[in-house]
Amino acid sequence: MLNQRIDSVKARCLEAVSAAIDSRQLNDVKVRFLGKNGEFTALLKSLKDVPPAEKPAAGKLLNEVRVMLEGAFADAETSLRLAEKAARVERETLDVTLSRYDGKQGALHPLTLVKNEIVDIFLGMGYSVVDGPEVEYAYYNFEALNIPEDHPARDVIDTFYITDKILLRTQTSAAQVHTMETLKPPIRVISPGKVYRPDDDATHSPMFQQIEGLVIDEHITLADLKGTLDEFAKRFFSSDTKTRLRPSHFPFTEPSVEVDLSCPMCHGEGCRLCKGTGWLELLGAGIVNPAVLEMSGIDSKKYSGFAFGMGVERATMVKYGIPDMRLLFDNDVRYLRQFR
């Protein structure tokens, strides 16, 4: 039965690779079959259910097919990139007679514009900016944030590990832990920076930017969090923007919430951007888990706090109605010129 499933997935994958007409389509096929939730990845995960006597043969077959599929993707990617380059060279021309400077000026990238705007808003609300290393210890990225060793977020398919104890940070919350260890409450900081996760599709990137906020003081409640995010949404989008909190779960906050805002395009009426709901998900937040405070040396009986985190790319896509994150990284000047 497993062999039949392997043959079926292999045949469909090779057929999809052959049918890909450009690099982006090929990448979507790769995510579909070899991504962390891909069809072939699911077969690899199912190996644990194979009877012990059959595991060696099944494992060998899966490995052979994986190597073959990865080779097919590599060959197709090389071929498509060469074809795209040839087409671009054919399409683009350079008039070497032009010598007069046309006076065009550069501009900040939309991600930089949005990041600066968010930072300025929170600076105006009394926050300080803190930074941390992008190559981080697993302790600060996970343990100190109440994420145990058996948590799915720590799996090798979700994290870029350098060694067992060192990794590329997956969240800027690690900088908040450093802050709690070195500063005494009251604390009010934001930590912008790059983070890294093995995701790559229309709404995810292996490298992206986060801005996370942390407030620690006496008598901090969920109402303080809601008021802060309401004020931020009104300053960042428009004065009529509304926010709502939905229950969620994060190891480092309790209670935890997902924060939605009324769609800035249709103002809550329902449109293509918000898929008719009138709401868009923007960030995660919650009251800091007392265990996190205690691990950082803060008395959780005296102090409480809230934390929130948002992706700069996500905020940019929501603010400007951008459907595909990859447009922000293509660096097509014709596209970026719109944000000048």
Side-chain angles (χ1 to χ4, degrees):
M1 179 63 71
L2 180 60
N3 289 2
Q4 294 176 352
R5 292 168 57 198
I6 293 173
D7 290 340
S8 174
V9 171
K10 178 179 71 173
R12 287 187 287 106
C13 181
L14 292 175
E15 182 180 354
V17 169
S18 299
I21 61 175
D22 55 37
S23 298
R24 178 167 292 177
Q25 194 174 105
L26 181 66
N27 186 69
D28 291 339
V29 173
K30 190 172 185 178
V31 171
R32 173 185 162 194
F33 286 95
L34 298 183
K36 68 176 184 179
N37 296 317
E39 295 184 34
F40 189 78
T41 305
L43 293 178
L44 292 172
K45 293 178 180 178
S46 70
L47 184 61
K48 66 179 186 297
D49 300 322
V50 175
E54 301 176 13
K55 273 189 178 180
K60 179 181 179 182
L61 177 60
L62 282 168
N63 189 57
E64 291 174 349
V65 173
R66 178 181 61 81
V67 172
M68 184 194 67
L69 293 180
E70 289 176 347
F73 277 110
D75 292 343
E77 182 176 3
T78 299
S79 178
L80 287 173
R81 288 195 182 281
L82 289 174
E84 290 169 357
K85 181 178 180 180
R88 188 168 62 253
V89 170
E90 181 70 23
R91 183 174 62 253
E92 296 176 352
T93 59
L94 175 65
D95 187 348
V96 296
T97 64
L98 293 177
S99 58
R100 179 179 172 275
Y101 177 62
D102 63 4
K104 292 180 180 178
Q105 294 181 337
L108 292 177
H109 192 280
L111 290 177
T112 303
L113 290 171
V114 168
K115 182 188 72 173
N116 290 347
E117 183 177 357
I118 294 174
V119 169
D120 285 345
I121 289 172
F122 282 104
L123 286 176
M125 295 167 69
Y127 286 69
S128 300
V129 177
V130 297
D131 195 9
E134 294 179 23
V135 178
E136 184 60 273
Y137 286 105
Y139 171 79
Y140 288 101
N141 197 81
F142 292 127
E143 279 99 326
L145 292 169
N146 199 38
I147 303 175
E149 290 190 5
D150 59 351
H151 194 279
R154 302 186 62 161
D155 196 278
V156 293
I157 64 174
D158 289 317
T159 304
F160 289 112
Y161 282 95
I162 298 174
T163 70
D164 290 343
K165 300 297 183 182
I166 300 176
L167 45 79
L168 296 181
R169 65 181 181 185
T170 62
Q171 52 201 358
T172 58
S173 303
Q176 298 176 359
V177 178
H178 289 291
T179 301
M180 287 189 288
E181 287 185 344
T182 55
L183 296 180
K184 293 182 179 180
I187 297 171
R188 187 181 297 175
V189 297
I190 55 172
S191 52
K194 298 184 182 70
V195 297
Y196 305 86
R197 298 177 190 176
D199 290 323
D200 187 17
D201 55 41
T203 57
H204 298 87
S205 170
M207 183 283 295
F208 59 100
Q209 299 181 68
Q210 278 188 338
I211 294 182
E212 302 200 24
L214 174 70
V215 172
I216 304 292
D217 205 343
E218 297 183 40
H219 312 302
I220 296 295
T221 69
L222 202 63
D224 299 304
L225 170 64
K226 180 68 163 63
T228 298
L229 297 179
D230 277 344
E231 181 65 19
F232 162 73
K234 286 177 169 56
R235 294 191 190 185
F236 185 65
F237 293 102
S238 63
S239 59
D240 63 346
T241 302
K242 298 180 176 61
T243 61
R244 71 177 183 184
L245 308 183
R246 291 182 289 108
S248 186
H249 170 73
F250 305 111
F252 34 85
T253 53
E254 181 58 40
S256 304
V257 294
E258 296 283 358
V259 182
D260 300 333
L261 53 88
S262 55
C263 178
M265 301 296 289
C266 65
H267 302 282
E269 296 296 325
C271 66
R272 184 166 60 89
L273 179 63
C274 63
K275 299 180 180 178
T277 65
W279 295 92
L280 290 170
E281 180 181 327
L282 182 64
L283 54 89
I287 298 299
V288 179
N289 194 314
V292 174
L293 295 177
E294 294 292 343
M295 281 188 283
S296 297
I298 295 176
D299 185 357
S300 63
K301 292 183 173 59
K302 181 178 180 180
Y303 295 104
S304 58
F306 64 74
F308 58 86
M310 72 186 82
V312 176
E313 285 79 3
R314 174 64 178 166
T316 304
M317 293 170 70
V318 171
K319 187 177 182 71
Y320 295 116
I322 300 172
D324 192 325
M325 182 186 291
R326 291 170 292 196
L327 291 170
L328 295 170
F329 298 106
D330 283 346
N331 287 327
D332 186 330
V333 176
R334 295 167 299 179
Y335 183 78
L336 298 178
R337 192 176 291 131
Q338 303 174 70
F339 301 94
R340 289 173 56 179

